[in-house]
Amino acid sequence: MSLTLQQVLGVLTSLGVAMRGAFHPGPEDGVKGGTLVLAGTVGDSAWGTFSSSPEAADGRLDPLDRWSRRVVGLAAERLGAKALYPFGGPPHWPFQRWGARAEALGSSPLGLLIHPDFGLWHGYRGALLFAERIEAAPPVRRPRPCDTCADKPCLSACPVDAFAAGGFDEARCLGHIGSAAGAECMTGSCRARRACPVGAAYRYGPEQSAFHMNAYLAAARRRRC
Ligand code: B12
């Protein structure tokens, strides 16, 4: 009997990961296979499961990436798929491009993908690549919220104008969040991201925000060493 998307959803949900859409990759998607299913998070959907995991408590580096490898890896094993991850590069798998193929996502001025309901508060923990073609309807296209957002508060909320030049000035951001003045960005999450009115109900809480911001800062410092 052939696999259904409902079965994939069942396995991912049982492991605490959200299914973030599926599509049939073509040559432009950089992978060969019949179906790619994305796995990730929406708001705090996996926060409880992750924060009570052994990886979160063992004090070793990159707990969320190691948790993702275990959980998405287990799903792949159970379903006969190959697991791919958003981290571990470069080179990086094009998760944002895949995400936009799989769900009603659009680009935002911050470089993060925006969802009409979840806003900027979502991410990816892995993908399952299946050799077979699993029945998957294309995502229902919805208007991109940024197109009707006149004020674009995301572009003016950063205290050090890291988005002023039309891209993301990472050095500016890091200089600020690594200093005492950046404490609010660390615990309250990126102020530019928070300024977006879309998906406010999905905003990360202080613990989750601090975790992600610390992970980002620590990874950036390691890259520089
Ligand atoms: C390298 C990287 C970074 C770099 C550079 C990011 C950049 N802006 O260029 C640094 C370290 C700065 C970074 C920071 C952050 N990142 Co980052 N990052 C990545 C990573 C690992 C690879 C991206 C890449 O180079 N892909 C290779 C290209 C070829 O893939 P692609 O999908 O086809 O790339 C497309 C997009 O880049 C897009 N694109 C290019 N320019 C622009 C501009 C706009 C406006 C948009 C919308 C898209 C876009 O077009 C490309 C071609 O289709 C991805 C994970 C992944 N594997 O995708 C996460 C990822 C993009 N990051 C993510 C996040 C959450 C962050 C942070 C918020 C971290 C945090 N604090 O929590 C910050 C925010 C920075 C910002 N505002 O841009 C999420 C984004 C989720 C989402 N909602 O879209 C991802 C997908 C990781 C994940 N596990 O979910 N990141």
Side-chain angles (χ1 to χ4, degrees), residues 102-207:
E103 280 187 305
L105 294 166
S107 60
S108 77
L110 300 186
L112 302 169
L113 292 171
I114 189 158
H115 185 278
D117 303 321
F118 321 135
L120 303 171
W121 305 98
H122 62 97
Y124 297 98
R125 298 320 325 157
L128 300 173
L129 180 63
F130 293 86
E132 68 260 44
R133 200 178 159 90
I134 304 172
E135 204 52 50
V140 176
R141 291 291 155 207
R142 295 171 64 187
R144 190 179 72 130
C146 310
D147 290 337
T148 45
C149 178
D151 296 340
K152 303 217 179 337
C154 61
L155 289 178
S156 53
C158 174
V160 289
D161 272 344
F163 299 94
F168 176 53
D169 187 335
E170 195 191 12
R172 263 176 184 255
C173 170
L174 293 174
H176 180 67
I177 64 174
S179 74
E184 198 195 315
C185 304
M186 293 297 282
T187 51
S189 220
C190 167
R191 282 206 238 172
R193 200 176 184 183
R194 276 192 82 81
C196 175
V198 185
Y202 294 88
R203 279 182 191 146
Y204 301 161
E207 229 184 284

Side-chain angles (χ1 to χ4, degrees), residues 7 24 30 42 44 95 123-124 128 156 189 201 203 208 220 223:
Q7 289 169 306
H24 305 121
V42 163
D44 65 359
F95 267 80
Y124 297 98
L128 300 173
S156 53
S189 220
R203 279 182 191 146
Q208 190 179 357
R223 266 187 278 133

Side-chain angles (χ1 to χ4, degrees), residues 16 39 43 58 60 68 84 141 150 164 186:
D58 67 15
R60 292 167 50 215
S68 306
L84 307 174
R141 291 291 155 207
M186 293 297 282

Side-chain angles (χ1 to χ4, degrees), residues 11-12 15 70-85 127-130:
V11 169
L12 287 173
L15 292 164
R70 175 166 64 79
V71 171
V72 179
L74 205 55
E77 210 178 289
R78 289 187 188 165
L79 292 160
K82 183 180 177 187
L84 307 174
Y85 300 99
L128 300 173
L129 180 63
F130 293 86

